[in-house]
Amino acid sequence: MRLTPLVVVANRLPIDDGVAPDGAFEWRRSPGGLVNALHPLLRHTPAAWVGWAGGTGPAPRLPDVDGVRMHTVPLDGDDLRDHYEGFANATLWPLYHDAVEQPEYHRRWWEAYQRVNQRFAAAAAAAAEPGGLVWVQDYHLQLVPGLLRELRPDLRIGFFLHVPFPPPELFMQLPRRAELLRGMLGADLIGFQRAQAAHNFAQLVTKVLGLPATDRRIGVGERVVRVGAFPVSIDTAEMAALAARPEVADRADRLRQDLGDPERVILSVDRMDYTKGIEQRLKAYRELLASGDVKVRDTVLVQVAVPSRDRVAQYQILRDRVEHQVGRINGEFGRVGEPAIHYLSQPFDRTELIALYRIADVMAVTPLRDGMNLVAKEYVAARADDTGALLLSEFAGAAAELGQAYLVNPHDLDGLKQGLLAALRATPEDVAVRMRAMREYLHRNDIHAWARSYLSALDQTGSLLRRLGPTD
Ligand code: ADP
Ligand code: F6P
């Protein structure tokens, strides 16, 4: 095996198995914020990615992607059920998102979590050069830093959590809370999306493990573990360049015509997840239609909701409820050839997604809780002409940076309706001032700035970064 100086470890590989339109088997980019954030970064860098390729059974041998080596970690049916669908997505995920759904605790899931984390740690240990840098991602793999440090004390180890890290009163519910904190503390640097999360973590390590901690440094025996906020971003320039392509502009024109050339297009793009506030948003929209504040012929809502984690009960229930709600709203308020909501539950290629961003007069991003929300940033980057109003939840990590958005509390139905109307009725001048400020911010704070700030904090001597070369 060829060893590399930088190894990214994430639950998912950036490619997934899928079926091409002609029915043939193909590898395609997996959807989701983490992959879309990291993938552009590693191009042209001598790096490896350790992750799961989707599905169960023996690990397939995958081709390099843009020069990045793919190391597949296999999951069998029990691992998938108890680690990915169980401990990761039915225990940690709801707990870390304000327990908007009830987290479940099962001892069998914890055993699977440990077992799969050990497998990822072993794969990372086998892929990294002596003295290399390993960057572990997200809540599926919180034990990996600690396990990896035991296997390879020569490595610099980073951990980044893409999702929120909850306040102590919620985290304390976890039966295996001490082990999870200790696992993360195997890292040299622990990155969070927001300063509040770093603060929650520091409080917890003192409360649960009795360690001396500030929001920046934690003492673990002889070692100092550093902690900080590093809000993840997007490849802003790439997104702007794609949005400016003639084929995207053509596609956008056609889409607008296909929608009946309405005065206003509202767009939402989410994974089908109960954290994204889809039901609340649809309810607000229904009330605006019912009151006549919004009329179907003038305004259309396009809701993209790509199915996600669809074997987990809470996700199946949500999908049924959303589809029922959409059907009901269309039945009540649509006309022949003029649905109130255009509902699409398919993955799209980048061109289609960006064409949708281009036609959206209002982009409604209203999660109940979200680590960051890259869709909000992608929309801003795609609006080079400073048109377009971003309606953004206060509970998305992005709200800490995009303060010029129309901010709403998605739990407050009336506030959500008012926010939507304010965005729909905003003057072009107001929209432009806000959009320009957000675009300028994202040009300075893009994915490359994120990686530079995280990796330079992790590699304090700079020796590894010099070997890797530029990250942009
Ligand atoms: P999360 O990480 O919870 O999925 P984010 O908003 O941070 O949420 O990231 C979602 C990512 O997935 C974005 O980069 C977005 O472009 C992409 N995405 C969302 N819906 C689709 C879709 N239908 N087809 C393709 N990509 C999608
Ligand atoms: O950060 C949230 C996250 O779990 C990412 O790891 C991933 O990009 C995204 O959601 C999609 O989820 P999944 O990998 O479960 O399809």
Side-chain angles (χ1 to χ4, degrees):
M1 183 190 293
R2 181 156 56 82
L3 305 183
T4 50
L6 173 63
V7 178
V8 166
V9 189
N11 179 59
R12 248 184 218 289
L13 288 171
I15 49 174
D16 219 345
D17 51 350
V19 179
D22 62 2
F25 178 81
E26 67 171 7
W27 291 106
R28 62 181 181 204
R29 181 150 150 176
S30 24
L34 187 154
V35 162
N36 282 350
L38 282 170
H39 187 249
L41 195 76
L42 297 181
R43 281 183 307 221
H44 323 301
T45 304
W49 188 309
V50 172
W52 168 56
T56 53
R61 278 192 73 80
L62 298 186
D64 292 3
V65 178
D66 296 331
V68 179
R69 313 227 89 192
M70 297 289 132
H71 294 285
T72 316
V73 177
L75 295 190
D76 65 21
D78 289 350
D79 301 329
L80 183 71
R81 188 190 61 219
D82 295 342
H83 170 262
Y84 173 72
E85 294 167 353
F87 198 81
N89 284 316
T91 303
L92 295 180
W93 179 268
L95 184 72
Y96 286 12
H97 290 84
D98 293 351
V100 292
E101 287 286 343
Q102 181 62 41
E104 286 182 49
Y105 305 111
H106 299 293
R107 282 165 288 186
R108 203 184 58 234
W109 290 1
W110 170 248
E111 282 159 25
Y113 190 76
Q114 288 173 289
R115 171 173 86 232
V116 170
N117 272 252
Q118 277 156 2
R119 206 174 300 149
F120 272 83
E129 262 183 32
L133 198 151
V134 177
W135 194 2
V136 183
Q137 313 288 323
D138 234 359
Y139 60 100
H140 318 81
L141 302 176
Q142 278 174 235
L143 302 178
V144 169
L147 295 165
L148 189 56
R149 181 164 295 283
E150 279 174 26
L151 294 169
R152 292 283 306 271
D154 59 300
L155 298 172
R156 290 294 289 171
I157 303 172
F159 179 78
F160 186 80
L161 189 70
H162 291 253
V163 300
F165 191 76
E169 30 322 345
L170 275 179
F171 190 83
M172 291 302 282
Q173 285 186 14
L174 260 181
R176 309 312 288 258
R177 58 202 183 194
E179 285 98 320
L180 276 180
L181 294 173
R182 266 191 228 107
M184 291 165 80
L185 288 169
D188 296 293
L189 175 66
I190 302 176
F192 296 97
Q193 301 277 25
R194 296 179 78 156
Q196 181 62 48
H199 178 68
N200 293 345
F201 183 73
Q203 280 192 309
L204 274 160
V205 295
T206 302
K207 191 176 167 81
V208 177
L209 304 177
L211 296 175
T214 68
D215 292 4
R216 292 169 165 270
R217 302 167 91 80
I218 297 168
V220 185
E222 301 288 284
R223 294 192 304 125
V224 172
V225 175
R226 277 167 315 119
V227 177
F230 300 85
V232 74
S233 196
I234 57 164
D235 192 335
T236 314
E238 184 196 50
M239 177 57 68
L242 288 171
R245 283 198 183 162
E247 67 268 26
V248 175
D250 290 348
R251 182 68 194 130
D253 289 345
R254 179 101 64 76
L255 276 170
R256 199 157 191 125
Q257 277 168 24
D258 290 347
L259 290 171
D261 209 9
E263 275 172 38
R264 285 275 182 268
V265 176
I266 307 171
L267 173 68
S268 285
V269 176
D270 307 285
R271 270 185 311 101
M272 179 65 85
D273 196 302
Y274 50 81
T275 60
K276 302 287 182 183
I278 303 172
E279 289 179 281
Q280 289 76 0
R281 192 187 307 140
L282 292 180
K283 192 163 182 204
Y285 195 61
R286 190 201 164 278
E287 289 195 9
L288 289 174
L289 288 168
S291 63
D293 285 305
V294 168
K295 297 199 173 44
V296 167
R297 186 159 297 164
D298 306 336
T299 306
V300 300
L301 170 62
V302 180
Q303 172 67 65
V304 177
V306 64
S308 174
R309 306 171 190 165
D310 48 13
R311 294 182 354 152
V312 179
Q314 288 156 334
Y315 288 76
Q316 290 168 356
I317 293 167
L318 173 75
R319 184 170 180 183
D320 287 348
R321 288 214 305 242
V322 165
E323 294 185 349
H324 179 76
Q325 218 179 345
V326 169
R328 224 175 140 163
I329 296 173
N330 278 338
E332 266 183 274
F333 298 100
R335 297 154 197 255
V336 173
E338 282 179 356
I341 302 172
H342 293 255
Y343 169 72
L344 302 156
S345 58
Q346 307 145 35
F348 290 120
D349 63 27
R350 302 299 281 166
T351 306
E352 189 74 2
L353 208 53
I354 299 168
L356 281 167
Y357 291 150
R358 278 195 54 150
I359 60 163
D361 303 293
V362 174
M363 180 84 209
V365 181
T366 57
L368 304 178
R369 176 62 75 189
D370 210 331
M372 174 51 63
N373 198 292
L374 295 180
V375 164
K377 291 189 171 181
E378 290 170 357
Y379 175 67
V380 169
R383 308 296 303 198
D385 57 359
D386 292 333
T387 58
L390 175 63
L391 182 74
L392 182 60
S393 162
E394 293 165 12
F395 298 101
E401 299 172 274
L402 304 179
Q404 296 84 359
Y406 296 85
L407 292 175
V408 284
N409 170 4
H411 300 274
D412 168 11
L413 199 61
D414 286 334
L416 191 51
K417 285 162 62 183
Q418 278 158 18
L420 202 46
L421 285 180
L424 281 168
R425 294 173 181 169
T427 63
E429 293 74 28
D430 185 38
V431 163
V433 168
R434 290 167 182 256
M435 188 52 88
R436 190 171 312 122
M438 293 191 286
R439 273 196 322 107
E440 283 170 9
Y441 175 87
L442 284 185
H443 275 285
R444 290 192 307 277
N445 295 280
D446 66 357
I447 188 71
H448 303 292
W450 174 72
R452 259 196 310 274
S453 74
Y454 184 90
L455 291 174
S456 54
L458 177 59
D459 177 30
Q460 280 177 315
T461 61
S463 58
L464 273 159
L465 289 183
R466 276 193 293 280
R467 275 158 73 198
L468 291 176
T471 52
D472 53 357

